[in-house]
Each structure stands twice: as structure tokens, then as C-alpha cells.
Amino acid sequence: MPSLDFEREEARFHAFHDQNLPRLQEACASFVALLTALLTPSGQVDVAKVEGRVKDKEESIRKFTRKYRPALEEANEPYEIAPYITDLIGVRVVCLYEDELEKVAQLVRSHFDVMDVTDKVAAVENTEASFGYKGLHLDLRLNAAQRALPEHAACAAYAVELQVRTIIQDSWSVLDHKIKYKKSIPGQLKRRINVLSALFELADREFRQIRDATAAELLQAPDETAEALPEPGVQAPEKAPTGGSELNAFTFLKIANHFFKDFEFEPSKVDSFVDDIQGWSSGMTRARFNALLRETIAVVKRYKLHFEEQNPQGSFNAYTVIRHCLYLSNNIAFRPALRNVAREAFEAWLQEHGRT
């Protein structure tokens, strides 16, 4: 029975926590697995990590004492502690960008009933008393359809607090918790902390805007090379390469995706590969790269067929084709594009079959 005896209720909560800890941990692991499966393959959000925890019993007691005990005892209202600890099981989803927080909230609604939402994303409003932001918090319970599924038996009876943060918000939260005596430090230090908080918030916005700008850059059609892209393997009329902007990851992708429509170029590899190209031949322009591929790719594709016949288990992907195209265009400047064995095999084939 609920009571107003805090020591008694504290002891009862300790016993409850100790008795139920294995089941709480199992439920927590089940929630983490479910949310990972729900969010990571969605394609709508970039999830950095999903992690969970069962709240420590002493931390739970401190939360109850701080948030609920004074009002309950003032109202002379008997209580039990456990029902007030709504975040006994907590799961944190860390995203890359701030506009993905609401996307996560929308995705979880397919499996969960949302009992409460606390939006802590807003910038600091009171510079004298609060620092930073903590993300989006949702109190969740599996909906009726999901609770009925056998695979969710471990967590069907429990609620979970889901914290959704960006990497920047998560980093700020970790640092924020290390700041001691927040309410007592001098105003000058509080202002400095809030300046730092604003910088973190600005970083979040800048990362999102850079992402959007990068996507927009990839959608832009190349200028001077746009009319120079024939069908792969088809020799275009002779035309001297014009000048133009330096080859970069964005222009590389526009050209490479034309010649290799079925190959998926990973951004990190593209960045490194373009850097290699510029190292081999400083000042490579988008127009020159496009013309280079156009002039050499038919020969290299014939060699690719030969290589695959001779090496059924070998790999000759789009990057390998481009490396051979570079070497064929200038075997001195682009000698580092091929390793010794690959270079010797290619040269032997060229001598046997001619360079055209």
C-alpha cells in the first residue's frame, strides 16, 4: 500500500529494483534491438548509435526526491516511488543531423504509443539558470499490435524513455553533466557556458546546411562537360578539352555515374580517389577527365573482358577501369595508378592487341 513514510517507500523501491533488474535489463536489450531494426535500415535517418540502460536505483531515488516528493508530501498524498520513474528503462538514439530528430519520432509511432513528448532542442532561454539542450525525449509503450507479438514478450509490459539527440547534442550533454555547481557559479562563467552552448547549436545547424549544400552540389549538372558526355564506349568527334573547374568529388561523380550507371560510388572512397588523381596529375579539370575517359574507355573495356576471362575470381570494378583509363591516357603521369603486376599485364595485352 502507498504511504507517506519515505524510508519505507525507499526500501520497497530498492527491493523492487533488485528483484526486477534482470527482467528490466532483458527488456532494455529488447527495446534497443527493436529500435535498431526499425531505424537503421529506414534510409530516412543517419543513425550513429542506439544504446540503452536501466536507471540506477539510487539515481531513481534522487530523481523522485527532487521532482515529486515535496509536492506529494505537501499534499499529504501517499505514494509509491516506482510509478514515478518513467525512465527506468531508457534508450538513446544518436543521429547525425538536427532535422532527423522528428523523423525518428515519426518512425517510432509505427510501433509505439507515445505517452509524452519533451522537446529540449530549443536554445537556452534563461542565461542565468540553464545551459544547453538535451534533444527530444519521448515516453513510449509498445502499441497493442506489437505487444501481442511473441518476439516482443520481454519488453511488452514496460514503458521506455527514448532520447533522440544529434552527435553534437550528445557531446554537449556529456560535457554539461561535468559542470559542477551550475546554480552557484558566477554570472560571468554562466555567460561563457552559454556562449559555448550557442557554438554547439551553431555547429549542429552548420553540419545540416553543409549536408544540404553537398546534396545540392551533386544535383547540379556540370557546365562545360555537359554536352561532351556521349554514350560509354562511343567515340565522339575530336574536340580539344576546354578549361574549367578543377576536378573534385562532385564533378567526378557526375562524370563517373554517366559511364558506370550500375556502380555505387561510396563518398569516402571517391574523396580519396580524386585526391589521388590530383596527386598524380595536378590541375586535372572536369573537362579533361571527361575527355580522358571518353577517349580510352572502349579500349579498357575490351581489356576488362579479357581480364575477367583469364581471372574469373578477379575484381575489375569501376575504379579499376578508371585507373586503366588514366594510365592509357598518359603512362608516365599515371604510372602510380596501377601496381606493377597490373601494369605489366595491361602493357602485354596492349602490345598484343594494339592500343586502339
Side-chain angles (χ1 to χ4, degrees), residues 216-229:
E217 183 75 23
L218 288 171
L219 291 174
Q220 292 177 5
D223 42 37
E224 72 276 2
T225 62
E227 296 181 0
L229 290 171

Side-chain angles (χ1 to χ4, degrees), residues 130-296:
S130 61
F131 308 135
Y133 47 80
K134 304 288 181 65
L136 187 65
H137 295 191
L138 301 95
D139 291 335
L140 305 173
R141 186 181 296 276
L142 283 172
N143 61 33
Q146 296 299 318
R147 289 198 302 272
L149 297 177
E151 59 265 34
H152 297 157
C155 59
Y158 296 96
V160 58
E161 183 194 65
L162 175 64
Q163 296 181 359
V164 192
R165 299 172 174 171
T166 66
I167 288 179
I168 299 294
Q169 291 169 352
D170 194 49
S171 299
W172 172 258
S173 179
V174 173
L175 294 169
D176 184 42
H177 278 88
K178 298 297 183 182
I179 299 173
K180 303 181 186 302
Y181 314 117
K182 296 178 187 178
K183 296 184 183 300
S184 302
I185 64 176
Q188 183 181 5
L189 289 180
K190 290 180 182 179
R191 285 191 293 273
R192 289 174 61 184
I193 292 169
N194 279 288
V195 167
L196 190 58
S197 170
L199 290 175
F200 271 69
E201 184 183 356
L202 179 62
D204 244 341
R205 293 179 182 178
E206 284 296 309
F207 275 119
R208 175 176 56 80
Q209 290 173 4
I210 290 170
R211 177 206 62 188
D212 294 343
T214 300
E217 183 75 23
L218 288 171
L219 291 174
Q220 292 177 5
D223 42 37
E224 72 276 2
T225 62
E227 296 181 0
L229 290 171
E231 287 303 311
V234 175
Q235 183 69 35
E238 284 297 324
K239 183 179 180 182
T242 61
S245 61
E246 190 175 65
L247 183 73
N248 59 37
F250 306 112
T251 52
F252 172 92
L253 281 172
K254 295 297 291 189
I255 296 168
N257 283 329
H258 175 84
F259 287 100
F260 307 95
K261 292 182 171 63
D262 298 325
F263 187 80
E264 184 175 351
F265 290 90
E266 297 179 23
S268 60
K269 290 184 179 180
V270 167
D271 208 32
S272 177
F273 190 56
V274 172
D275 192 49
D276 286 341
I277 293 174
Q278 295 295 3
W280 298 328
S281 179
S282 178
M284 173 73 78
T285 65
R286 63 203 299 180
R288 182 184 168 207
F289 180 69
N290 175 64
L292 181 156
L293 286 183
R294 188 175 71 247
E295 294 163 2
T296 59

